[in-house]
């Protein structure tokens, strides 16, 4: 599938070298047909980066990273992120290492990749680790975008609340973000945890009957959308652990 490196350079979170690979032809049950963007360490495969904690460069302080350990295989312990590293991230990294992707630079060329498409900022990895001019270019002629960040308050992170949903893991975190005019995306343990008047359930979720996809919905575009915040019941292979984390 056509994919391009649209950034290779230091992470805004720790200065380590990272890449952003934009995939232009994709299909995903929940997101629909969007330009997908993988944010990866340039020098270590995603599973090893998770295990050793070197995924800080692309995930920062996200609590769903789990606990690093000094074993010689597997990912971090108790990782609760819904992204399965052995799928997209590992294959994109392997293709990068094989030299499959070309590098696209400059505002006009990156803008052309997103033109007329919906963009998913951070299919894996946190978009706030990447200089904002990359997303400015990719989204300038796009029909919209989705973006989420766990990096509010982290030194150097490019967390524009007009672009990103603030990822919240508790009602208290969400309330603090709402008080600053931010919109949140909150993983919850049960539909009863939705805060009435502030949040709605993601319409693409199982609980809402999968009635749309992100490319058609587009609500997760930070405060650029005048809409309620979004909540979703923990899902994916780590759903049980994620529910325990957000319920704690
Ligand atoms: S609220 Fe809309 S954009 Fe956000 S995750 Fe759900 S379907 Fe996607």
């Amino acid at each position: 599938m056509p994919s391009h490196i649209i950034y290779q350079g230091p992470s805004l979170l720790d200065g380590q070298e990272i890449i952003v690979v934009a995939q232009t032809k994709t299909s995903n049950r929940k997101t629909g047909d969007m330009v997908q963007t993988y944010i990866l360490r340039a020098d270590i495969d995603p599973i090893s980066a998770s295990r050793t904690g070197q995924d800080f460069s692309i995930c920062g302080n996200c609590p769903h990273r789990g606990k690093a350990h000094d074993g010689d295989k597997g990912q971090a312990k108790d990782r609760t992120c819904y992204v399965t590293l052995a799928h997209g991230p590992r294959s994109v990294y392997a293709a990068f290492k094989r030299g499959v992707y070309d590098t696209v630079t400059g505002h006009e060329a990156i803008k052309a990749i997103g033109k007329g498409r919906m963009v998913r900022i951070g299919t894996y990895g946190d978009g706030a680790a990447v200089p904002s001019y990359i997303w400015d270019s990719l989204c300038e002629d796009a029909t919209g975008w989705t973006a989420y960040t766990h990096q509010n308050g982290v030194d150097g992170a490019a967390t524009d609340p007009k672009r990103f949903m603030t990822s919240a893991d508790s009602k208290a975190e969400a309330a603090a973000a709402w008080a600053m005019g931010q919109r949140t995306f909150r993983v919850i343990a049960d539909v009863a945890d939705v805060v009435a008047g502030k949040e709605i359930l993601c319409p693409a979720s199982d609980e809402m009957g999968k009635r749309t996809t992100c490319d058609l919905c587009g609500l997760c575009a930070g405060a650029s959308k005048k809409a309620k915040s979004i909540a979703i019941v923990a899902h994916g292979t780590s759903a049980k652990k994620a529910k325990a984390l957000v319920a704690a």
Side-chain angles (χ1 to χ4, degrees), residues 30 146 148 185 202-204 212-214 217-220 230:
K30 178 165 177 284
T146 62
Y148 313 85
F185 185 89
C202 165
T212 189
T213 47
C214 297
C217 167
L219 277 178
C220 288
I230 305 295

Side-chain angles (χ1 to χ4, degrees), residues 11-124:
S11 161
L12 298 184
L13 305 181
D14 66 359
Q16 296 297 315
E17 188 180 19
I18 61 172
I19 56 169
V20 178
V21 174
Q23 286 185 338
T24 55
K25 282 273 177 228
T26 65
S27 66
N28 175 296
R29 197 275 294 164
K30 178 165 177 284
T31 67
D33 180 19
M34 298 177 78
V35 176
Q36 304 282 343
T37 60
Y38 284 87
I39 306 165
L40 304 168
R41 289 275 301 222
D43 58 341
I44 180 168
D45 73 87
I47 293 172
S48 299
S50 165
R51 182 177 66 250
T52 59
Q54 293 176 87
D55 60 351
F56 181 87
S57 311
I58 52 112
C59 297
N61 280 337
C62 177
H64 299 284
R65 290 167 61 214
K67 299 184 193 86
H69 59 93
D70 54 12
D72 57 7
K73 61 181 180 194
Q75 62 181 20
K77 285 189 182 129
D78 299 328
R79 184 174 178 274
T80 52
C81 176
Y82 68 91
V83 178
T84 304
L85 295 175
H87 294 165
R90 183 165 71 173
S91 59
V92 170
Y93 180 80
F96 163 66
K97 282 298 178 190
R98 289 198 308 275
V100 167
Y101 306 133
D102 64 336
T103 298
V104 172
T105 56
H107 175 67
E108 293 298 329
I110 295 174
K111 182 172 82 171
I113 294 172
K115 184 174 181 180
R117 306 284 311 282
M118 279 289 288
V119 171
R120 187 179 182 194
I121 297 177
T123 302
Y124 173 59

